[in-house]
């Protein structure tokens, strides 16, 4: 019997986020042809701890691909229409698995987990007293050591980055320590783990890590794009655990099983860098902010690494092929954005669905003087305080759930503004407009609050799956599909042109200044609540 399916040319994108996995199939204009999404379990075994089961992530990814392929066929297209797969992922989440069995050795530690405060304190004192070896026999310690670490990696010491989480695993899980000692340990971030499995698992042993993800480990030299031996020595990690480094857009191999058997994987990218590419922010000075579980603002700095003096991090934006020069970005990371709304829903139960937050917040024109510093796991950029605690301040008998809902949305806007103020100082560029995407941006009220508190125009595209789209563009470009070329942004002129909506500030400047002052006072009260002790 002849197949009635039409043959097309599409790109698949597997988006492995913090709370869900999505498989989205795009056409050459970035229209979504088919998709499937599944949430996977979250584990919070102790305050500040957040874990994932790496096997569950993989099972959900496999299931999304199968169901997404069925949806493609329901739409009348042959499954062979998917020509290449891109993968994008939650960054900094650390996975440890066995070289011999291909199975995880413990649960993955998620990027926003803050159990490692004491590990950070330990390495801060080591940096102060012993320092790091920057060239044979040359050590830098104290403030020189801090600067040297920033110089090599673009990052500060923080609970956020993967090497710190891996160190905790080795120190607290005997099976990880044993595997480390016996060269059986494989370490990777989520793209590394998912690619390992899709490309054949233990039988093929393809252990790779893509540079945007690797640049968040505290182990990569961002200038040379190589693992840095002095940092492995500093964190006491064996080189054998590390994956082979690959670029953001190249063919890494073919899918070994399932509906995509034989399809090449051509793009791997950390989700926030994926969103930068998906928003087509290829030029120096273009910026986007993605509001998901956390919020992440990236500002493209081109071929230059801009060293932040104001609490941002320097990161690899993408590398458009194995021989391409890397493009860099300044980034500000906010650990709590959409997860604060989830907290209102699941823990406080003042809303029954995430979208309800907008209706509840809209019942009051202001927060009634309430500020909510959502430091559930410390504060990231630009404050970098792992000991900061969540603070609701300004509460009175007048305060009601609507004020708190509104203060939750404002917290998001204030933290975005804090990052943009730092970006202005570092880059000398004033931000006129901010491109946004991610689940939180669906509410118009959130966008209006962001424009009012930030004092800039907020631009929200109609097609907001920018993260998945970014990995699709990188994957398509790797096999020259549709003539796409990451080094020539004009080749994406027909991609995602559906238009966008703009939100402009509507409150007077003096009110903006006053509220900004209140936020800064609230942050000061949140800082340093829980001090780390060197382990």
């Amino acid at each position: 019997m002849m197949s009635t399916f039409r043959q097309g040319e599409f790109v698949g994108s597997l988006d492995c986020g913090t709370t869900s996995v999505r498989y989205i199939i795009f056409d050459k204009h970035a229209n979504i042809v088919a998709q499937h999404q599944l949430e996977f379990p979250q584990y919070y075994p102790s305050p500040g701890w957040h874990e994932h089961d790496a096997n569950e992530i993989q099972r959900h990814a496999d299931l999304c691909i199968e169901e997404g392929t069925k949806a493609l066929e329901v739409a009348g297209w042959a499954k062979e229409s998917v020509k290449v797969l891109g993968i994008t992922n939650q960054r900094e989440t650390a996975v440890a698995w066995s070289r011999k069995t291909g199975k995880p050795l413990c649960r993955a530690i998620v990027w926003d987990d803050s159990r490692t405060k004491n590990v950070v304190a330990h390495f801060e004192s080591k940096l102060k007293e012993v320092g790091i070896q920057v060239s044979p026999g040359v050590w830098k310690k104290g403030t020189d050591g801090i600067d040297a670490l920033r110089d090599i990696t673009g990052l500060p010491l923080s609970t956020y980055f993967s090497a710190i989480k891996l160190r905790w695993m080795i120190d607290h899980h005997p099976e990880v320590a044993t595997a480390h000692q016996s060269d059986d340990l494989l370490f990777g971030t989520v793209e590394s783990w998912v690619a390992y499995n899709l490309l054949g698992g233990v039988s093929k042993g393809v252990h790779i890590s893509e540079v945007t993800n690797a640049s968040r480990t505290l182990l990569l030299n961002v200038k040379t794009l190589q693992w840095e031996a002095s940092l492995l020595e500093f964190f006491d990690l064996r080189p054998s655990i590390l994956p082979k480094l690959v670029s953001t857009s190249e063919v890494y191999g073919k899918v070994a099983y399932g509906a995509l058997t034989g399809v090449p994987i051509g793009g791997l990218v950390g989700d926030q860098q994926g969103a930068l590419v998906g928003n087509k922010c290829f030029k120096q000075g273009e910026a986007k902010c993605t509001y998901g579980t956390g919020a992440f603002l990236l500002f493209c700095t081109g071929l230059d690494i801009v060293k932040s003096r104001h609490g941002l991090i320097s990161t690899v934006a993408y590398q458009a092929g194995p021989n391409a020069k890397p493009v860099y970005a300044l980034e500000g990371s906010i650990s709590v954005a959409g997860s604060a709304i989830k907290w209102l829903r699941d823990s406080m139960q003042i809303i029954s669905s995430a979208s309800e937050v907008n209706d509840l917040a809209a019942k009051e024109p202001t927060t009634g003087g309430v500020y909510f510093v959502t430091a559930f796991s410390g504060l990231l950029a630009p404050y970098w305080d792992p000991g900061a605690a969540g603070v609701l301040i300004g509460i009175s008998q007048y305060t009601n759930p609507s004020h708190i809902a509104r203060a939750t949305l404002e917290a998001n806007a204030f933290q975005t503004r804090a990052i943009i103020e730092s970006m202005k100082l570092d880059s000398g560029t004033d931000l006129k407009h901010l491109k946004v995407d991610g689940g939180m941006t669906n509410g118009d009220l959130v966008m209006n609050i962001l424009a009012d508190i930030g004092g800039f125009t907020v631009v929200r595209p109609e097609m907001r799956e920018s993260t998945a789209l970014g990995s699709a563009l990188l994957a398509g470009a790797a096999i020259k599909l549709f003539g796409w070329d990451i080094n020539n942004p004009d080749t994406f002129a027909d991609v995602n042109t559906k238009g966008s909506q703009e939100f402009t500030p509507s409150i007077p400047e003096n009110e903006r200044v006053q509220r900004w002052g209140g936020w800064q006072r609230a942050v000061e009260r949140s800082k340093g609540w829980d001090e780390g002790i060197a382990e």
Side-chain angles (χ1 to χ4, degrees):
M1 189 176 125
M2 282 187 63
S3 166
T4 53
F5 294 126
R6 287 173 294 164
Q7 291 292 336
E9 282 194 312
F10 303 131
V11 183
S13 171
L14 188 63
D15 180 354
C16 302
T18 307
T19 58
S20 69
V21 178
R22 269 179 292 200
Y23 176 55
I24 302 180
I25 299 167
F26 293 101
D27 70 8
K28 66 177 179 183
H29 301 297
N31 298 313
I32 293 174
V33 187
Q35 62 178 320
H36 195 77
Q37 179 171 359
L38 292 168
E39 285 201 7
F40 57 86
Q42 309 293 312
Y43 300 98
Y44 304 101
S46 296
W49 293 34
H50 187 185
E51 296 177 345
H52 287 156
D53 178 329
N55 279 329
E56 286 176 344
I57 292 177
Q58 190 62 47
R59 277 201 300 274
H60 283 73
D62 293 344
L63 195 54
C64 277
I65 288 172
E66 296 304 317
E67 294 299 322
T69 303
K70 283 180 197 163
L72 180 69
E73 291 184 333
V74 167
W77 297 100
K79 67 177 185 180
E80 294 75 24
S81 302
V82 176
K83 302 301 179 193
V84 66
L85 177 69
I87 300 171
T88 181
N89 60 292
Q90 47 156 325
R91 306 167 305 167
E92 297 96 13
T93 295
V95 187
W97 69 100
S98 158
R99 191 188 304 274
K100 285 201 287 280
T101 67
K103 295 204 165 67
L105 294 161
C106 61
R107 277 192 192 149
I109 300 181
V110 182
W111 59 270
D112 61 354
D113 180 288
S114 61
R115 77 182 69 179
T116 51
K117 283 197 267 279
N118 298 346
V119 183
V120 171
H122 164 78
F123 284 109
E124 280 172 345
S125 57
K126 185 173 178 181
L127 203 50
K128 217 174 282 174
E129 289 148 29
V130 182
I132 46 178
Q133 190 169 206
V134 288
S135 55
V138 180
W139 293 76
K140 291 208 169 167
K141 58 186 186 181
T143 48
D144 288 347
I146 294 167
D147 286 346
L149 183 71
R150 285 297 288 255
D151 207 44
I152 298 166
T153 64
L155 312 175
L157 272 175
S158 162
T159 57
Y160 186 25
F161 304 114
S162 326
I164 301 278
K165 300 173 197 299
L166 175 65
R167 190 63 254 169
W168 190 95
M169 288 173 170
I170 294 168
D171 293 342
H172 294 83
H173 287 294
E175 53 279 27
V176 181
T178 305
H180 185 232
Q181 274 313 107
S182 63
D183 281 336
D184 182 41
L185 176 62
L186 297 182
F187 156 70
T189 37
V190 170
E191 94 296 349
S192 182
W193 165 249
V194 173
Y196 171 84
N197 287 298
L198 286 173
L199 294 170
V202 73
S203 63
K204 291 277 169 54
V206 182
H207 185 214
I208 54 178
S209 177
E210 176 276 330
V211 290
T212 67
N213 282 289
S215 77
R216 318 300 290 236
T217 56
L218 275 172
L219 301 172
L220 187 84
N221 184 317
V222 285
K223 295 191 192 84
T224 63
L225 295 195
Q226 299 297 321
W227 298 118
E228 183 68 34
S230 64
L231 293 174
L232 285 168
E233 189 186 346
F234 179 71
F235 291 112
D236 195 15
L237 298 169
R238 296 165 83 99
S240 64
I241 67 176
L242 293 175
K244 174 179 172 254
L245 291 160
V246 292
S247 78
T248 321
S249 178
E250 61 178 280
V251 174
Y252 316 101
K254 290 182 176 174
V255 178
Y257 62 89
L260 292 177
T261 302
V263 172
I265 299 178
L268 294 174
V269 66
D271 53 8
Q272 303 314 321
Q273 285 92 335
L276 193 74
V277 172
N279 276 303
K280 300 192 280 190
C281 294
F282 297 112
K283 292 194 188 74
Q284 200 168 343
E286 292 183 327
K288 70 90 209 175
C289 194
T290 299
Y291 295 95
T293 303
F296 305 88
L297 206 153
L298 270 76
F299 179 97
C300 182
T301 61
L303 299 174
D304 301 326
I305 301 175
V306 174
K307 268 180 82 171
S308 176
R309 298 268 170 244
H310 303 94
L312 303 178
I313 59 178
S314 311
T315 196
V316 178
Y318 58 88
Q319 185 192 11
N323 303 314
K325 282 189 172 146
V327 170
Y328 294 96
L330 271 174
E331 176 173 336
S333 310
I334 301 164
S335 63
V336 173
S339 55
I341 295 169
K342 219 174 162 192
W343 177 79
L344 291 180
R345 183 191 71 189
D346 299 344
S347 300
M348 302 311 289
Q349 298 180 354
I350 65 172
I351 50 174
S352 56
S353 71
S355 56
E356 253 178 59
V357 74
N358 296 293
D359 300 334
L360 184 60
K363 286 181 182 168
E364 293 287 353
T366 71
T367 65
V370 172
Y371 288 88
F372 186 7
V373 183
T374 50
F376 293 168
S377 49
L379 286 169
L380 298 182
Y383 310 108
W384 297 105
D385 183 353
V391 168
L392 257 174
I393 199 161
I395 297 170
S396 66
Q397 285 172 312
Y398 173 69
T399 306
N400 65 38
S402 299
H403 293 127
I404 291 171
R406 198 173 185 97
T408 307
L409 301 183
E410 287 199 356
N412 194 49
F414 283 125
Q415 291 188 82
T416 304
R417 174 162 175 176
I419 288 167
I420 286 170
E421 298 288 328
S422 295
M423 282 191 177
K424 282 182 198 170
L425 293 167
D426 281 333
S427 66
T429 314
D430 205 353
L431 193 75
K432 294 286 182 285
H433 65 264
L434 180 66
K435 290 182 179 177
V436 298
D437 58 73
M440 242 186 126
T441 60
N442 295 336
D444 288 2
L445 181 65
V446 188
M447 300 293 90
N448 285 318
I449 287 172
L450 183 58
D452 280 346
I453 285 171
F456 45 75
T457 300
V458 177
V459 182
R460 180 178 70 184
E462 194 181 312
M463 203 295 289
R464 295 195 273 286
E465 296 293 354
S466 310
T467 298
L469 177 60
S471 84
L473 298 182
L474 292 157
I479 63 161
K480 306 280 188 286
L481 194 64
F482 312 132
W484 287 351
D485 179 358
I486 299 294
N487 296 310
N488 181 1
D490 293 346
T491 60
F492 300 112
D494 297 335
V495 172
N496 201 10
T497 54
K498 275 186 180 160
S500 55
Q501 192 175 350
E502 295 195 352
F503 299 85
T504 51
S506 65
I507 63 169
E509 181 63 20
N510 62 340
E511 189 187 327
R512 186 177 300 119
V513 169
Q514 180 208 338
R515 285 160 73 180
W516 176 237
W519 167 259
Q520 287 171 301
R521 282 174 28 237
V523 168
E524 284 310 310
R525 283 161 173 76
S526 140
K527 285 182 177 175
W529 179 257
D530 182 8
E531 293 300 322
I533 309 134
E535 279 188 342

